[in-house]
Amino acid sequence: MVGSTLALAGGVVASSFVALNVGGSSMGVAFGPVTGSDAVGTRRAAMLMALSVALGGVTFGGRVTETLGEQFVAPAVFTVEAALVVLAVTGVGILVGNYRRVSVSTSATAVGAVSGLGLAANALRWGTVARVVGSWVAAAIVAFWLTAIVGRYGYDRVVAALRGRPGWSRAALVVGGCAMGAAAGGSNVANAVGALVGADLVRMGPATGLGVAGIAVGAAVLGPRTLETVGEGITNLSVAGALVVQTVAASIITALNVVGIPASLAVTTTMAVVGLGWGRASRAVDGPDEGVGGLREAGPSSASDGGRAGADRSAPAGAALYDPAVTRRIVLTWVATPAVACGLAVAAFGALA
């Protein structure tokens, strides 16, 4: 009885630690453009993030949890001790990304930890690893090229549709942020609490509540660190660009959640941002742009002239649209985080064996 209670307490602590860091990592991806445009404040964004994550977690969390907890390794390998180690390693990996102010992939970190368990137990199902990692690569490529095409050939149309409509633009950003939050919830609630459910420590309902609460707190406390990177450090992300990225990324991740893939929201979203910046930078002449700052500055004078003030600003140069150095740092973090998580898990399970 005492052992079960201690195991449950340890599982809750480890899961909460993961959820807190998930909130910090996902907040920058889902609501960076929303708070940057002053459509909502950070506290309200955290509340919307929690509600959206709950919706996504309830709708798709079970499918992703099944993949993460049963299809990478045999269920018999996922013991209580294994669940605690996987959660601890996942939390540390995501914390490293938050410390570096990069929105790392929670799913990649969790998969790395579970894969480490499989390698240590000589029970890793490589077919599942190939299917999941292949889906991530495909999602990143599709996100990049879809937004690159829009950035090069269709960006002016999106800008024209938004010009002079700051209220509509804010509303669209909020809806897009919520869609991103729901997409994140499908994978991230499972990443935070899936090991508890897989080890039969907590039932799905209470586990989902624990994950949502932890993610909400993490979004409020750690989220501002990652808000500066996605949408600001990689490219000069405008309102029009943010809507394009939100639509593409949320659609791709939701589709992956439907088929039970623990999807990488951070990788897919940032590749969409990079693709958009690359597409716009590759144009010989960049059209007028209404940036995030334009919404903050919109007042009576800007409304009276139909938004022409924002259109008259000179377009940003290619160097301002795409920063290869920041992109390289983020990609290196993505590669290093799951690799380190896998290595730590192998070492931990080897020591426990």
Side-chain angles (χ1 to χ4, degrees):
M1 181 66 179
V2 175
S4 299
T5 302
L6 290 176
L8 175 60
V12 169
V13 170
S15 181
S16 299
F17 180 67
V18 173
L20 286 170
N21 286 285
V22 166
S25 182
S26 300
M27 182 70 172
V29 179
F31 279 88
V34 180
T35 57
S37 67
D38 285 343
V40 297
T42 301
R43 292 184 180 180
R44 185 167 296 180
M47 180 183 67
L48 291 173
M49 181 73 175
L51 295 175
S52 302
V53 163
L55 176 62
V58 170
T59 306
F60 303 114
R63 302 178 187 183
V64 181
T65 298
E66 181 180 355
T67 300
L68 193 61
E70 298 179 8
Q71 296 184 18
F72 279 90
V73 297
V77 178
F78 229 129
T79 62
V80 173
E81 293 79 8
L84 295 178
V85 172
V86 166
L87 286 170
V89 170
T90 301
V92 170
I94 302 168
L95 181 62
V96 170
N98 284 336
Y99 178 77
R100 296 195 62 187
R101 301 190 180 189
V102 174
S103 294
V104 300
S105 169
T106 306
S107 295
T109 308
V111 166
V114 174
S115 297
L117 164 63
L119 287 173
N122 197 25
L124 183 62
R125 294 171 176 171
W126 289 102
T128 300
V129 174
R131 178 169 63 91
V132 170
V133 174
S135 297
W136 293 344
V137 174
I141 292 173
V142 170
F144 176 89
W145 283 110
L146 283 178
T147 54
I149 291 171
V150 172
R152 184 171 177 83
Y153 300 109
Y155 187 77
D156 285 341
R157 296 182 181 180
V158 180
V159 172
L162 296 175
R163 189 173 296 124
R165 302 175 181 176
W168 188 91
S169 299
R170 288 191 180 95
L173 282 175
V174 172
V175 171
C178 290
M180 295 277 281
S187 288
N188 288 337
V189 168
N191 291 333
V193 302
L196 296 183
V197 177
D200 291 328
L201 284 174
V202 182
R203 294 182 179 179
M204 180 61 74
T208 300
L210 174 65
V212 168
I215 290 173
V217 174
V221 176
L222 300 176
R225 294 182 63 86
T226 57
L227 288 175
E228 298 176 0
T229 298
V230 176
E232 293 183 16
I234 301 172
T235 180
N236 182 21
L237 191 65
S238 67
V239 172
L243 290 175
V244 172
V245 168
Q246 287 175 332
T247 301
V248 170
S251 299
I252 291 174
I253 298 305
T254 300
L256 292 177
N257 285 339
V258 168
V259 296
I261 298 293
S264 178
L265 178 67
V267 173
T268 304
T269 300
T270 311
M271 287 307 296
V273 173
V274 172
L276 182 67
W278 181 85
R280 292 180 61 205
S282 67
R283 297 168 57 184
V285 178
D286 197 356
D289 179 23
E290 181 179 319
V292 169
L295 282 183
R296 286 195 299 264
E297 297 164 2
S301 59
S302 60
S304 64
D305 64 11
R308 290 189 298 272
D312 292 338
R313 292 200 307 265
S314 59
L321 293 170
Y322 173 65
D323 189 339
V326 175
T327 303
R328 283 195 298 270
R329 176 171 65 88
I330 291 174
V331 171
L332 287 174
T333 301
W334 288 340
V335 174
T337 300
V340 170
C342 181
L344 288 175
V346 170
F349 289 120
L352 293 174

